[in-house]
Amino acid sequence: MTTLKITSLAAAILVIAACHSKKKTTADTASAPVKSTTGIFVPGEEELTAIKVKFPDATHEKLSEGHAIYTGVCTKCHGAKSIYRISEDKWQPIIDDMAKKAKITDSQKDALTKFVFSVKATQPK
Ligand code: HEC
């Protein structure tokens, strides 16, 4: 119960911090996501376009669902790890391993996979 409360509190603080860090200056930039240094953000148009090369069936909904899983159930045992820090070829075996640990469904794993690779595909060099 206490752990759950602390987790919820940490999540709330993260959300508040994320909102405060997003400085929306003009209406033009409001729709583009503010990229974090860890690659953990809700993907936008650039990410969707990039991931469609690999997964033509990807949608904004799938990518958002993947983000929610990454920052939700995937943080049960550890914090949300930097997506950028792990190389693209290492990600698939990690997802396979962690999906089992997190006991997510095939559909959730699909969303998570699309989310992670959309972020990797658009990682600033
Ligand atoms: C049941 C606990 C648990 C859950 C749930 C869990 N992890 Fe992990 N994760 C671990 C442990 C333990 C390690 C470190 C040891 C290892 O690599 O197996 C780890 C390590 C990692 C690493 C670092 C791997 C590396 O080689 O640097 C990443 C990235 C990661 N997890 C992502 C995820 C994602 C994504 C999810 C959601 C699908 C997730 N984890 C869910 C326990 C968990």
Side-chain angles (χ1 to χ4, degrees):
M1 207 46 182
T2 317
T3 319
L4 187 69
K5 271 185 192 161
I6 292 167
T7 311
S8 310
L9 185 66
I13 290 168
L14 266 178
V15 168
I16 293 164
C19 291
H20 279 277
S21 67
K22 276 184 200 169
K23 288 201 181 80
K24 286 175 188 163
T25 43
T26 67
D28 284 351
T29 57
S31 59
V34 176
K35 293 196 187 195
S36 67
T37 53
T38 53
I40 303 167
F41 58 90
V42 178
E45 221 46 66
E46 187 195 353
E47 287 72 30
L48 182 62
T49 305
I51 198 62
K52 275 190 166 176
V53 174
K54 204 171 175 181
F55 301 108
D57 63 330
T59 59
H60 276 305
E61 289 69 31
K62 270 277 160 193
L63 297 185
S64 297
E65 185 194 345
H67 173 265
I69 293 162
Y70 197 86
T71 55
V73 68
C74 291
T75 61
K76 247 168 58 182
C77 304
H78 48 67
K81 311 239 180 211
S82 167
I83 295 173
Y84 288 157
R85 201 184 47 83
I86 295 164
S87 64
E88 191 148 4
D89 57 320
K90 293 223 174 91
W91 259 116
Q92 195 58 62
I94 292 174
I95 290 172
D96 291 343
D97 184 22
M98 293 298 148
K100 280 187 214 128
K101 282 201 204 297
K103 298 187 172 71
I104 55 175
T105 65
D106 286 351
S107 168
Q108 287 175 313
K109 185 180 164 184
D110 176 62
L112 178 70
T113 304
K114 287 179 169 114
F115 162 67
V116 168
F117 287 104
S118 79
V119 168
K120 283 306 285 182
T122 55
Q123 179 168 350
K125 292 285 178 279

